[in-house]
């Protein structure tokens, strides 16, 4: 059995999630339902759950603040949110899981399947929570970090260290300022959405670049950018006008 705790200040949301777990996920034992961050901290100390269903938006102490007070995070978290854009972006950058209220049964099953696959492996990383809390508390996006799930494990990086991303079918290759590269089993489109609001731009179907790492722009049909690592990336003709606008803001 998967020992879990639900932490959410909304009674209706707690009841709905509890009933769905009982009906569709019989291997999940809900040991306690907590209606505040303080109750959640007590339950973690006393019950040592493997999994938390943690609401982000709670009064007095939100889910992130509660998590920040836990010294040893030897559990996994599936966040529950009514969709706070800043919070969701912080969760995605840390490669953690979340569900949007009202919780969809199929999405719940998928999240639990991902938990089962990670359960008991070294993929369960406390560093992901450190990145989550760092990004959420940091007022400067230039200091934000990202967790990248690779075949070898989780790689952690400052967003400012990423020079470019290149698509390879259902995989994406990250190129870093120190010469390293990492292959991640997610599509470029997924990272395009994730990196919105940061200083990245998709210049071509197969490339996203960090605008802070442009060394030179060569004019042409679409043009070519030379990056700080010496790579030359062609700009799609249909993206040229928007790209030039972005350059004007640098």
């Amino acid at each position: 059995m998967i020992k879990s705790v639900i932490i959410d200040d909304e009674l209706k949301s707690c009841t709905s999630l509890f009933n769905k777990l009982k009906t569709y996920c019989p291997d999940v034992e809900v040991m306690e339902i907590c209606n505040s961050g303080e109750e959640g901290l007590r339950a973690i100390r006393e019950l040592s759950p493997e999994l938390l269903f943690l609401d982000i938006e709670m009064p007095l102490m939100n889910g992130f603040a509660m998590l920040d007070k836990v010294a040893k995070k030897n559990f996994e978290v599936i966040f529950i949110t009514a969709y706070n854009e800043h919070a969701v972006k912080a969760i995605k950058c840390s490669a953690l899981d979340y569900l949007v209220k009202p919780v969809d049964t199929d999405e719940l099953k998928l999240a639990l399947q991902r938990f089962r696959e990670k359960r008991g492996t070294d993929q369960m990383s406390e560093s992901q929570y450190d990145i989550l809390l760092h990004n959420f508390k940091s007022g400067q996006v230039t200091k934000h970090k990202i967790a990248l799930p690779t075949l070898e494990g989780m790689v952690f990086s400052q967003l400012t260290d990423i020079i470019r991303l290149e698509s390879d079918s259902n995989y994406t290759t990250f190129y870093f300022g120190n010469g390293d590269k990492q292959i991640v089993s997610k599509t470029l489109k997924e990272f395009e959405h994730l990196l919105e609001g940061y200083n990245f731009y998709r210049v071509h179907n197969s490339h996203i670049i960090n605008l802070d790492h442009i060394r030179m722009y060569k004019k042409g049909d679409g043009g070519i950018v030379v990056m700080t690592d010496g790579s030359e990336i062609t700009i799609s003709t249909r993206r040229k006008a928007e790209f030039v606008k972005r350059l004007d803001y640098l």
Side-chain angles (χ1 to χ4, degrees):
M1 294 290 285
I2 298 170
K3 296 181 178 180
S4 72
V5 169
I6 297 173
I7 306 171
D8 190 338
D9 65 305
E10 296 180 3
L11 180 59
K12 183 178 179 181
S13 177
C14 289
T15 303
S16 174
L17 179 56
F18 176 82
N19 289 336
K20 285 180 178 179
L21 289 168
K22 186 176 180 180
T23 304
Y24 301 106
C25 311
D27 63 330
V28 178
E29 176 191 357
V30 178
M31 297 188 293
E32 188 168 340
I33 296 176
C34 303
N35 298 125
S36 70
E38 287 293 348
E39 288 183 25
L41 289 171
R42 176 193 52 75
I44 291 169
R45 287 193 304 269
E46 295 178 359
L47 302 175
S48 300
E50 295 177 78
L51 177 63
L52 303 183
F53 294 95
L54 178 59
D55 184 26
I56 296 173
E57 297 90 4
M58 294 187 292
L60 302 180
M61 185 191 301
N62 67 33
F64 291 159
M66 190 214 79
L67 200 59
D68 199 24
K69 290 180 178 291
V70 181
K72 183 66 176 176
K73 301 174 183 66
N74 53 357
F75 49 77
E76 284 288 292
V77 179
I78 296 176
F79 292 96
I80 310 293
T81 177
Y83 201 84
N84 174 317
E85 186 175 359
H86 179 45
V88 167
K89 180 158 285 189
I91 294 168
K92 285 184 174 180
C93 277
S94 58
L96 293 167
D97 231 329
Y98 73 97
L99 296 167
V100 176
K101 293 180 180 180
V103 172
D104 178 79
T105 301
D106 290 335
E107 292 296 325
L108 174 62
K109 289 178 179 178
L110 286 171
L112 282 165
Q113 183 56 38
R114 288 189 289 268
F115 167 79
R116 293 184 191 98
E117 290 169 0
K118 291 171 66 176
R119 192 183 189 191
T121 72
D122 57 6
Q123 294 180 49
M124 300 174 77
S125 174
E126 194 169 350
S127 297
Q128 289 171 258
Y129 297 116
D130 294 337
I131 285 182
L132 168 70
L133 297 170
H134 169 86
N135 288 351
F136 191 73
K137 290 188 288 186
S138 175
Q140 295 178 275
V141 296
T142 54
K143 293 184 178 180
H144 283 192
K145 299 178 181 179
I146 190 170
L148 302 174
T150 70
L151 294 175
E152 291 77 27
M154 201 68 69
V155 172
F156 305 99
S157 171
Q158 292 277 156
L159 285 170
T160 51
D161 292 338
I162 300 168
I163 293 177
R164 60 190 178 95
L165 295 72
E166 183 174 5
S167 173
D168 182 9
S169 187
N170 291 325
Y171 294 85
T172 299
T173 303
F174 280 71
Y175 293 85
F176 299 92
N178 62 2
D180 287 349
K181 66 178 183 178
Q182 295 289 343
I183 299 173
V184 181
S185 57
K186 288 186 177 182
T187 65
L188 195 68
K189 189 170 186 64
E190 291 178 80
F191 287 111
E192 181 181 14
H193 292 312
L194 178 59
L195 295 171
E196 284 178 3
Y198 297 107
N199 215 19
F200 288 79
Y201 185 71
R202 188 166 186 171
V203 295
H204 192 278
N205 282 343
S206 59
H207 279 97
I208 293 174
I209 64 170
N210 185 338
L211 297 175
D212 290 328
H213 278 282
I214 295 176
R215 178 181 292 165
M216 181 189 302
Y217 171 56
K218 298 179 180 179
K219 295 181 179 179
D221 288 340
I224 293 173
V225 285
V226 181
M227 306 302 291
T228 52
D229 64 350
S231 58
E232 297 192 2
I233 312 298
T234 300
I235 311 297
S236 166
T237 303
R238 67 185 181 87
R239 295 177 185 268
K240 179 180 179 179
E242 179 62 28
F243 171 70
V244 171
K245 282 184 183 178
R246 291 292 297 270
L247 287 183
D248 288 340
Y249 289 108
L250 292 180

